[in-house]
């Protein structure tokens, strides 16, 4: 295979279902949809951990959270586990990051040959408040999500415009001054992550009254589950919404931010085309996780329902089937072997053999394999226990250590409104799903290890009271701003 440049575009908190090419007729995403038409769309794509820092560590390394131990937003990737950027840069490729990384800091040896406008975790420590899980604590910043809504500019939207400008300049420079070997660019945008404030031209695309109402807000039994009830108690974003208009404004703002994201992706792809590099470049678009957006009364990410754990995954470029839709389940750990595969066979053969994922280039070229198993897990803010998800064929199995599981038939019930875990008719499916999970990971041991690691970090930072006195912040500030602690 001829080596290719790689343009890897990542967004933050883009739910798979709020994209035109995934069947949403209300959202306007013409550039993402055009990319899908020109390439391959993975219909059943997932993150491996539905919160920023652990998800990005899996993306960097091609490994699951339990393999690498970056459990939460206070344990940022530091380069101690090799990733695709190390493999490419050490093989002589230019490997640039442009935008949000959410790693430890700019000095961590994460493998990039350059970092442009990087965003890293606060003080190299991140969200210490999220370590407190026994029990979790109600977070003062929860009120911010519902307070910052509607048309306007935010630090994040301005940051994304700057990232897009920098990416376009970088691509044009590669065309003017070609490298001997193919390059890789990781362009990482911050939107549609809250604050839910969108530039007016994109907000004006939507009538809040006509957008889909979040499902399950009137109760579907989800909060009867003790783990979900605890999460709702401590991640209490919904308590601060005052009525239907308020909720609809938040939904419209998110849709507008997705369209703003789409506009920036279009600008980057236009720069690639204008520089004459499209035919030599593999383009991958995905997100680090999704967003519940009010479904079942939850906002933000962190859950293992489709809205939060499902992500768009689109790939286009030389050798990629055009207009193909792949049913095989895939996840973000498949990205690392894909990038190494595209960059050069030497890198791929030496680095990717023991990774749990598989190159998307190979998956896109093969017949569908709906029985492939995908794993996600969660050990972070708001969770009172270790949470694990297995997706295979039509089934979604969610395992909670020491608590009852959930089981959904995603073919008959794509909205995950009917839990089948206690239905005797599905006992065999539940048993097979748990066996698949345990073939990959020991949930009890992993959950205990996560709690123990988090306790050590709590003690290293002066204990619970010291962390509480430090306060917490609603989201990581852009590189040129200071955190606003609550």
């Amino acid at each position: 295979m001829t080596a290719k440049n790689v343009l890897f575009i990542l967004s933050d908190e883009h739910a798979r279902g709020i994209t035109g090419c995934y069947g949403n007729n209300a959202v306007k995403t013409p550039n993402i949809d055009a990319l899908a038409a020109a390439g391959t769309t993975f219909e059943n794509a997932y993150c491996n951990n539905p919160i920023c820092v652990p998800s990005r560590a899996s993306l960097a390394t091609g490994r699951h959270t339990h393999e690498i131990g970056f459990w939460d937003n206070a344990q940022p990737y530091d380069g101690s586990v090799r990733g695709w950027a190390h493999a490419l840069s050490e093989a002589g490729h230019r490997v640039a990051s442009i935008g949000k990384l959410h790693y430890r800091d700019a000095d961590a040896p994460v493998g990039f040959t350059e970092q442009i406008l990087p965003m890293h975790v606060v003080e190299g420590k991140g969200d210490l408040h999220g370590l407190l899980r026994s029990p979790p604590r109600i977070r003062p910043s929860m009120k911010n999500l519902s307070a910052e809504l509607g048309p306007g500019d935010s630090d994040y939207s301005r940051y994304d415009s700057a990232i897009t400008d920098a990416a376009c300049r970088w691509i044009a420079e590669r065309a003017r001054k070609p490298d001997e070997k193919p390059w890789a660019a990781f362009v990482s945008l911050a939107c549609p992550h809250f604050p839910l404030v969108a530039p007016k031209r994109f907000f004006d695309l939507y009538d809040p009254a006509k957008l889909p109402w979040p499902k399950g807000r009137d109760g579907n039994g989800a909060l009867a589950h003790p783990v979900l009830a605890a999460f709702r108690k401590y991640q209490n974003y919904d308590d601060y919404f005052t009525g239907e208009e308020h909720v609809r404004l938040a939904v419209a703002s998110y849709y507008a931010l997705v369209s703003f994201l789409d506009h920036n992706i279009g600008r980057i792809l236009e720069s690639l085309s204008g520089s004459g590099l499209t035919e030599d470049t593999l383009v991958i678009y995905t997100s680090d996780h999704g967003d519940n957006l009010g479904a079942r009364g939850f906002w933000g990410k962190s859950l293992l329902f489709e809205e939060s754990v499902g992500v768009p995954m689109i790939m286009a470029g030389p050798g990629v089937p055009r207009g193909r839709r792949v049913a095989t389940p895939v996840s973000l750990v498949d990205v690392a072997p894909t990038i190494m595969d595209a960059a050069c066979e030497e890198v791929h053969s030496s680095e990717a053999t023991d990774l749990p994922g598989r190159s998307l280039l190979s998956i896109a070229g093969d017949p569908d394999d709906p029985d492939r198993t995908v794993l996600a897990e969660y050990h972070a803010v708001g969770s009172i226990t270790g949470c694990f998800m297995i997706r295979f064929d039509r089934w979604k199995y969610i395992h909670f250590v020491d608590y009852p599981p959930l089981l959904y038939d995603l073919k008959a019930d794509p909205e995950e409104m009917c839990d089948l875990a206690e239905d005797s008719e599905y006992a065999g499916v539940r048993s097979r799903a748990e066996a698949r999970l345990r073939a990959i990971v020991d949930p009890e041991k992993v959950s205990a290890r996560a709690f123990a690691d988090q306790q050590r970090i709590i003690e290293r930072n002066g204990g619970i009271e010291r962390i509480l006195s430090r306060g917490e912040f609603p989201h990581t500030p852009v590189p040129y701003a200071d955190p606003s602690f609550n």
Side-chain angles (χ1 to χ4, degrees), residues 212-231:
W213 180 250
K215 69 186 180 190
R217 287 186 58 79
D218 300 324
N220 73 327
L223 295 185
H225 194 285
V227 176
L228 298 177
F231 191 87

Side-chain angles (χ1 to χ4, degrees), residues 177-188:
K177 299 178 180 179
D179 292 329
E180 182 179 338
K181 290 189 174 184
W183 49 259
F186 176 29
V187 180
S188 182

Side-chain angles (χ1 to χ4, degrees), residues 91-154:
H93 297 264
R94 184 190 297 269
V95 188
S97 75
I98 308 170
K100 179 175 180 177
L101 286 174
H102 233 191
Y103 298 167
R104 187 192 69 197
D105 53 42
D107 295 325
V110 295
F112 293 111
T113 56
E114 57 183 325
Q115 294 183 23
I116 301 168
L117 296 175
M119 175 197 289
H120 292 292
V121 302
V122 171
E123 298 173 349
K125 298 179 178 181
D127 179 23
L128 297 177
H129 200 284
L131 295 166
L132 309 180
R133 300 173 57 210
S134 300
R137 305 300 199 275
I138 292 177
R139 300 166 68 91
S141 67
M142 296 296 100
K143 64 181 181 295
N144 293 55
L145 186 144
S146 59
E148 301 175 303
L149 302 173
D153 293 315
S154 71

Side-chain angles (χ1 to χ4, degrees), residues 168-243:
C168 292
R169 289 193 299 268
W170 191 92
I171 291 168
E173 183 70 6
R174 299 287 68 72
R176 286 193 297 270
K177 299 178 180 179
D179 292 329
E180 182 179 338
K181 290 189 174 184
W183 49 259
F186 176 29
V187 180
S188 182
L189 299 159
C191 293
H193 191 289
F194 59 88
L196 299 178
V197 177
K200 187 175 186 302
R201 61 179 283 203
F202 298 99
F203 186 88
D204 288 346
L205 296 173
Y206 299 99
D207 178 351
K210 295 181 179 179
L211 291 174
W213 180 250
K215 69 186 180 190
R217 287 186 58 79
D218 300 324
N220 73 327
L223 295 185
H225 194 285
V227 176
L228 298 177
F231 191 87
R232 173 64 180 80
K233 175 181 177 181
Y234 296 113
Q235 295 284 85
N236 63 335
Y237 292 110
D238 204 56
D239 290 350
Y240 300 99
F241 283 91
T242 57

Side-chain angles (χ1 to χ4, degrees), residues 252-429:
S253 300
Y254 182 87
Y255 271 67
L257 283 173
V258 171
S259 290
F260 172 64
L261 163 70
D262 180 83
H263 168 74
N264 288 326
I265 290 174
R267 288 185 56 205
I268 295 166
L269 295 178
E270 183 178 1
S271 176
L272 186 72
S273 176
S275 299
L277 296 173
T278 300
E279 296 304 316
D280 299 315
T281 303
L282 179 72
V283 178
I284 303 169
Y285 169 64
T286 189
S287 194
D288 61 351
H289 50 73
D291 191 303
N292 292 293
L293 200 62
R296 305 176 183 85
F298 295 109
W299 299 83
K301 50 272 187 181
S302 303
L303 300 181
L304 294 170
F305 291 115
E306 293 290 286
E307 293 82 12
S308 175
V309 77
V311 295
M313 182 81 79
I314 300 164
M315 183 173 66
V320 177
R322 292 179 62 88
R324 186 174 179 211
R325 302 186 71 86
V326 173
T328 304
V330 299
S331 77
L332 296 187
V333 296
D334 296 316
V335 172
T338 306
I339 294 174
M340 291 189 281
D341 191 10
C344 71
E345 187 63 32
E346 178 185 354
V347 170
H348 183 248
S349 61
S350 64
E351 292 280 349
T353 53
D354 68 335
L355 293 177
R358 182 180 168 214
S359 172
L360 296 168
L361 289 163
S362 177
I363 293 172
D366 288 346
D368 281 348
D369 178 16
D371 199 47
R372 186 182 191 230
T373 301
V374 159
L375 169 73
E377 57 192 294
Y378 186 77
H379 312 274
V381 57
S383 61
I384 59 174
T385 190
C387 310
F388 300 83
M389 180 208 86
I390 286 289
R391 167 69 201 272
F392 66 99
D393 195 16
R394 64 196 292 166
W395 307 108
K396 160 83 80 69
Y397 173 73
I398 302 175
H399 184 95
F400 302 104
V401 173
D402 295 329
Y403 294 92
L406 301 171
L407 177 67
Y408 297 98
D409 179 346
L410 294 183
K411 184 175 181 180
D413 177 29
E415 298 298 323
E416 298 169 294
M417 303 300 281
C418 182
D419 171 28
L420 304 172
E422 299 304 319
D423 189 327
S424 60
E425 182 179 346
Y426 297 93
V429 175

Side-chain angles (χ1 to χ4, degrees), residues 35-168:
L35 184 67
T40 292
T41 302
F42 297 89
E43 296 181 329
N44 301 303
Y46 295 89
C47 66
N48 304 107
N49 196 317
I51 194 168
C52 293
V53 169
S55 182
R56 288 162 182 269
S58 287
L59 263 174
T61 62
R63 298 190 179 278
H64 292 114
T65 299
H66 68 270
E67 296 181 86
I68 55 180
F70 300 102
W71 305 107
D72 54 66
N73 277 2
Q75 297 179 75
Y77 181 57
D78 57 6
S80 58
V81 179
R82 285 180 60 82
W84 60 264
H86 295 100
L88 267 64
S89 61
E90 290 172 13
H93 297 264
R94 184 190 297 269
V95 188
S97 75
I98 308 170
K100 179 175 180 177
L101 286 174
H102 233 191
Y103 298 167
R104 187 192 69 197
D105 53 42
D107 295 325
V110 295
F112 293 111
T113 56
E114 57 183 325
Q115 294 183 23
I116 301 168
L117 296 175
M119 175 197 289
H120 292 292
V121 302
V122 171
E123 298 173 349
K125 298 179 178 181
D127 179 23
L128 297 177
H129 200 284
L131 295 166
L132 309 180
R133 300 173 57 210
S134 300
R137 305 300 199 275
I138 292 177
R139 300 166 68 91
S141 67
M142 296 296 100
K143 64 181 181 295
N144 293 55
L145 186 144
S146 59
E148 301 175 303
L149 302 173
D153 293 315
S154 71
D155 278 354
Y156 273 19
S157 63
R158 287 186 287 267
Y159 182 45
D160 270 8
S161 293
I163 293 167
T164 302
D165 290 343
C168 292

